[in-house]
Amino acid sequence: MARREAQFVICVANRDYAASLELRKIYQVLNDRAGAKHGQIRVIDESGEDYLYPEELFVPVHLPQAAERAVRRATA
């Protein structure tokens, strides 16, 4: 079975982005192939908008389906 890409990440560092990213918080990932080519990941940050950040600030997380649905509802 093919592994699906992570739809969520956990912030493990927020240097230079303390106002935009909270440590240990789960963020939704949006697909951005151009950003990925440059080592960046697009997430919906604390402003409610999506921005590119260095991918080393995050760790991918695979949530159980029920948890993923709950997180998506909370961010809608």
Side-chain angles (χ1 to χ4, degrees):
M1 176 159 137
R3 239 180 107 120
R4 64 184 178 95
E5 245 181 81
Q7 299 293 314
F8 296 94
V9 291
I10 295 177
C11 179
V12 294
N14 65 352
R15 66 185 178 281
D16 301 325
Y17 303 102
S20 303
L21 299 172
E22 290 184 27
L23 289 175
R24 297 176 299 278
K25 183 172 179 178
I26 295 173
Y27 289 93
Q28 184 176 357
V29 175
L30 301 178
N31 188 21
D32 190 314
R33 291 182 189 200
K37 289 180 183 178
H38 298 284
Q40 297 184 317
I41 187 169
R42 185 171 294 278
V43 301
I44 300 172
D45 70 8
E46 295 307 306
S47 72
E49 300 294 326
D50 60 279
Y51 292 99
L52 286 168
Y53 293 98
E55 62 186 10
E56 66 265 10
L57 301 181
F58 304 94
V59 173
V61 62
H62 294 279
L63 301 174
Q65 285 184 349
E68 187 172 322
R69 281 192 302 271
V71 170
R72 287 184 188 278
R73 277 194 306 270
T75 58

